[in-house]
């Protein structure tokens, strides 16, 4: 069926285009690169964003509308009005608004405190809780957390929301006004943020900017939208990564980028493996709280990981007692962290076994024999009952308390005993397998586990590790990931927590754009969102679409070989991908992709922005190719590898990184973190990045 998209870039806005795209569930279907050249041309907003002026950027429907002309030749531009004592959020929102309007039109709007506004300005944009906003009926204190209003009244556009007093770039700072600005920039100006930095900021050009008449209330769909930053990787070989100043610049631009995509949260809570120090604290006095394995309580050997005896009532009572002791019942967002330690559930005691449900017939079907889960007991029901028992016990102190756990390892699959949970049991969906690309039946199986937990009554959040995959390579899995996200969103997803934003913008751009964009547009089709991305490349867009389709098809068609490479070289998808990068991406896979980018460069022609964006992708591919070459000669999987054998090509890679570390193509610190666990390195790379080579 056709996907219908309104053209929000023309002066009339009445035009509608139909793009025929697949809206069914994407499995391991092949994407036809040729389709990219048969699609209708991008919307006017996108085309003019790379060099031409349109007559207007707002959607202005034919008929009697009272749209507000904010910028037009020969007219005084709108004034940006802020409260006399604006919060840091409102100040920053005003700066962001002015900068994007300037990039669109060349006009710099003036920011004015409300007490200094002329009595009757031609038009104004009111930001935050101004007196005019109150007079227009905007009651900010009655908005939901992080909520905002976009409203036109007379000659004024109001952008206002619930704001906090902290740093606008911090995820715990309520930023409703800033989010209203970003929503308006997207919807009325066609702005798109493709990747961090100026080059990745797509602002369609316009000589006339209008605000559409309307009254919209906006609230984030999920109470937490979180992608772990990937900025904290600690390196033993810092020469592989950024220089310190480049790392700072990269972090700053990424922080701006994720807030533009409205990442943040309205409820504060913390969670993580909750019992890692409990054996040291309680093992001697209460060994019964810990796993029983082969007749022994606690870790199998000193220092080893251990799981808990979750059926033990005194363990449950102690968890609640400690929560009460720390003032938990009186917290604004009362929560108890129940996340099991980073190990499979192992307890063999009779009480835990009595809580277990029957294992499903396909319990081990999609786990590799090398997986930590393979061959372990199916214990999902005991962990469901554990969460419920603690929640019900704590609810005696505060009925609103939420308990937080993971569905993980051998308690990932949906329970089978009929246990009924409730909305105050919040569980992080954390598969320990299922890396993309998946076979069709595997993809359906993972989604069935989500539905099973949701049908059991739990409230769920996406806590997946899939974005740690791919290293610095063109590892594109956009369609399957988007289908997973949309499936979760349509089956009760309350929040997200992705691990992690590895920042491979130039080779995994479609994955990362969808990761951001789906948080605000989970109902949109995959291809419509990807078209936004490709449209920003102007006339090169179809060739860029074909380029990324090539890599997505490559992974799909080569899936068995790729999986085998990780198995027989004992490489981790998230930690030591660089051991097998040369096998997953051998030298002969690059020329077809290079040809597609050369085609894109020709299509970009004399358009400087489109050409620069294509060059951005070309640099990313060149970096990936170098990484694969180093992988081949330094991989720990090859007993013959030596640092001396790979020194020349490694230094070539590092010189490339120094030359391009301000380009934003990659988070080189993430690449370095993977490489440390994958390559035979000398002490030379233990020097600082601004010293070696």
């Amino acid at each position: 069926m056709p996907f219908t998209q309104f053209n929000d870039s023309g002066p009339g806005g009445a035009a509608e285009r139909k793009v025929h795209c697949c809206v069914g569930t994407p499995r391991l279907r092949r994407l036809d690169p040729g389709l990219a050249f048969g699609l209708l041309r991008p919307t006017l907003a996108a085309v003019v964003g790379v060099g031409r002026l349109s007559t207007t950027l707002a959607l202005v429907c034919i008929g009697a509308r009272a749209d507000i002309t904010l910028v037009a030749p020969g007219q005084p531009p709108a004034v940006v009005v802020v409260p006399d004592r604006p919060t840091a959020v409102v100040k920053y929102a005003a700066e962001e608004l002015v900068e994007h309007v300037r990039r669109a039109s060349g006009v710099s709007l003036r920011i004015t405190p409300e007490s200094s506004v002329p009595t009757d300005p031609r038009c104004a944009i009111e930001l935050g809780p101004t007196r005019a906003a109150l007079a227009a009926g905007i009651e900010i204190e009655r908005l939901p957390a992080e909520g905002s209003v976009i409203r036109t009244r007379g000659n004024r556009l109001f952008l206002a929301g619930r704001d906090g007093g902290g740093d606008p770039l911090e995820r715990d700072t309520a930023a409703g006004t800033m989010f209203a600005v970003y929503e308006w920039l997207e919807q009325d100006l066609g702005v798109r943020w493709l990747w961090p930095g100026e080059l990745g900021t797509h602002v369609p050009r316009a000589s006339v900017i209008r605000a559409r008449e309307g009254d919209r209330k906006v609230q984030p769909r999920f109470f937490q939208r979180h992608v772990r930053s990937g900025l904290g990787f600690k390196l033993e070989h810092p020469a592989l990564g950024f220089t310190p100043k480049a790392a700072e610049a990269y972090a700053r631009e990424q922080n701006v980028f994720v807030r533009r995509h409205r990442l943040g949260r309205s409820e504060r809570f913390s969670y993580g493996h909750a019992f890692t120090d409990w054996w040291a604290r309680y093992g001697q006095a209460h060994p019964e709280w810990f796993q029983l394995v082969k007749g022994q309580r606690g870790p199998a050997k000193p220092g080893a990981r251990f799981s808990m005896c979750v059926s033990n009532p005194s363990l449950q009572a102690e968890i609640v007692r400690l929560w009460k002791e720390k003032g938990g019942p009186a917290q604004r967002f009362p929560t108890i962290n129940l996340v099991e330690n980073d190990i499979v559930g192992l307890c063999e005691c009779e009480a835990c076994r009595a809580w277990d449900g029957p294992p499903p017939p396909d319990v081990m079907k999609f786990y590799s024999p090398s997986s930590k889960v393979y061959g372990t007991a199916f214990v999902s029901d005991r962990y469901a009952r554990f969460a419920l028992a603690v929640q019900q016990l704590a609810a005696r102190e505060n009925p609103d308390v939420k308990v937080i756990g993971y569905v993980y390892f051998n308690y990932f699959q949906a329970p089978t005993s009929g246990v009924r949970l409730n909305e105050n049991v919040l569980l992080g969906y954390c598969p320990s397998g299922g890396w993309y690309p998946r076979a069709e039946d595997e993809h359906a199986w993972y989604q069935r586990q989500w539905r099973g937990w949701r049908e059991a009554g739990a409230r769920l959040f996406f806590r997946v590790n899939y974005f740690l995959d791919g290293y610095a390579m063109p590892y594109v899995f956009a369609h399957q990931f988007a289908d997973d996200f949309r499936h979760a969103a349509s089956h009760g997803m309350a929040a997200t927590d992705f691990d992690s934003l590895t920042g491979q913008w130039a080779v995994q751009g479609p994955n990362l754009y969808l990761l951001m964009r789906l948080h605000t547009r989970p109902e949109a089709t995959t291809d419509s969102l990807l078209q936004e991305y490709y449209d920003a490349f102007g006339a090169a867009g179809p060739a860029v679409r074909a380029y990324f389709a090539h890599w997505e098809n490559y992974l799909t068609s080569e899936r068995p070989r790729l999986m085998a490479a990780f198995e027989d070289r004992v490489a981790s998808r998230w930690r030591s991908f660089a051991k097998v990068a040369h096998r997953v991406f051998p030298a002969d896979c690059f020329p077809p992709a290079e040809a597609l980018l050369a085609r894109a460069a020709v299509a970009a022609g004399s358009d400087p922005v489109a050409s620069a964006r294509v060059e951005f992708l070309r640099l990313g591919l060149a970096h990936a190719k170098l990484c694969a070459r180093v992988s081949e000669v330094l991989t720990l999987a090859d007993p013959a590898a030596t640092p001396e054998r790979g020194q020349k090509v490694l230094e070539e890679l590092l010189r490339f990184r120094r030359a391009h570390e301000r380009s934003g193509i990659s988070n080189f610190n993430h690449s370095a973190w993977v490489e440390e666990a994958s390559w035979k390195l000398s002490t030379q790379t233990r020097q600082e990045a601004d010293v070696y080579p």
Side-chain angles (χ1 to χ4, degrees), residues 27 48 84 97 128 140 163 192 363 555 557 582 625:
R27 302 300 188 216
V48 299
D84 288 332
L97 175 66
I140 289 176
D163 300 328
R192 299 291 182 260
V363 64
L555 292 178
S557 61
H582 62 293
K625 193 173 178 180

Side-chain angles (χ1 to χ4, degrees), residues 366-534:
F366 298 107
Y367 290 106
S368 162
S370 63
S371 165
K372 295 178 182 178
V373 176
Y374 194 83
T376 61
F378 169 71
V379 297
S380 296
D381 292 79
R382 74 170 66 167
Y383 280 90
R385 295 180 187 280
F386 170 54
L388 183 62
V390 174
Q391 184 269 324
Q392 291 178 335
L393 189 61
R396 299 174 187 174
E397 307 298 327
N398 185 330
D400 296 326
V401 64
K402 295 177 176 62
V403 297
I404 305 173
Y406 284 172
V407 296
Y408 190 34
F409 283 142
N410 57 341
Y411 47 97
F412 165 73
Q413 296 179 52
T416 59
S417 67
V419 59
R420 295 298 305 165
L421 304 175
N422 59 64
E423 292 286 307
N424 285 337
V425 176
L426 181 62
L427 300 178
Y429 173 90
C430 190
S432 50
W435 301 94
Y436 304 117
R438 299 169 179 162
E440 185 172 342
D441 57 344
E442 181 185 20
H443 191 62
W445 183 85
Y446 275 93
Q447 293 186 350
R448 193 160 63 246
Q449 307 317 312
W450 177 284
R451 294 196 302 275
W453 280 104
R454 184 63 185 143
E455 289 163 4
R459 198 176 180 209
L460 300 177
F461 66 101
F462 232 19
R463 168 60 188 92
V464 297
N465 296 318
Y466 296 141
F467 281 80
L468 285 168
D469 197 7
Y471 174 40
M473 311 309 290
Y475 205 88
V476 181
F477 48 76
H479 284 79
Q480 260 191 358
F481 159 67
D483 184 62
D484 254 359
F485 191 106
R486 236 183 343 265
H487 174 269
S490 64
H491 291 85
M493 181 165 71
T496 67
D497 179 5
F498 287 90
D499 197 358
S500 283
L501 186 53
T502 59
Q504 307 303 329
W505 305 102
V507 287
Q508 298 168 17
N511 300 349
L512 299 176
Y513 186 72
L514 289 173
L515 174 62
M516 295 295 146
R517 198 79 171 99
L518 283 165
H519 279 90
T520 52
R521 298 292 182 270
E523 72 290 342
T525 66
T526 304
D527 287 333
S528 68
L529 294 179
L530 288 177
Q531 192 61 42
E532 296 176 350
Y533 182 87
Y534 300 131

Side-chain angles (χ1 to χ4, degrees), residues 177-316:
T177 297
M178 189 168 77
F179 289 177
V181 166
Y182 292 144
E183 182 75 14
W184 184 79
L185 290 172
E186 283 185 347
Q187 296 299 305
D188 282 31
L189 267 68
V191 172
R192 299 291 182 260
W193 297 286
L194 312 176
W195 56 77
E198 184 174 352
L199 184 63
T201 301
H202 174 66
V203 183
R205 298 290 303 281
S207 60
V208 176
I209 296 177
R210 292 192 178 102
R212 293 180 289 175
E213 179 186 26
D215 189 349
R216 290 175 277 165
K217 290 186 178 179
V218 182
Q219 182 184 14
R221 172 77 172 269
F222 313 108
F223 75 79
Q224 173 175 276
R225 292 99 37 225
H226 186 47
V227 182
R228 301 185 183 196
S229 71
L231 299 175
F233 293 109
K234 304 298 183 185
L235 302 180
E236 295 180 5
H237 293 262
L240 299 174
F242 283 123
T243 60
K245 288 185 178 179
E248 290 177 12
Y250 177 88
R252 182 168 56 253
E253 291 188 338
Q254 180 176 287
N255 289 338
V256 170
F257 174 82
V258 298
R259 286 297 263 177
R260 287 173 172 172
H261 282 280
R262 278 84 93 198
L263 298 195
R265 60 182 179 177
S266 56
E267 297 182 23
R268 297 189 185 190
F269 58 95
S270 60
Y271 51 88
H273 301 296
F275 308 106
T276 55
D277 64 345
W278 275 50
W279 180 253
R281 293 168 59 190
Y282 303 110
Q284 186 171 358
H286 293 284
E288 71 277 9
W289 292 352
F290 301 87
Q291 65 184 32
L292 177 68
V293 178
K294 297 179 180 179
Q296 175 184 326
R297 290 282 183 181
K301 59 183 180 180
R305 294 179 180 179
F306 54 89
S307 60
M308 307 303 290
C309 180
V310 294
S311 66
N312 188 289
S314 66
L315 169 65
Q316 299 156 18

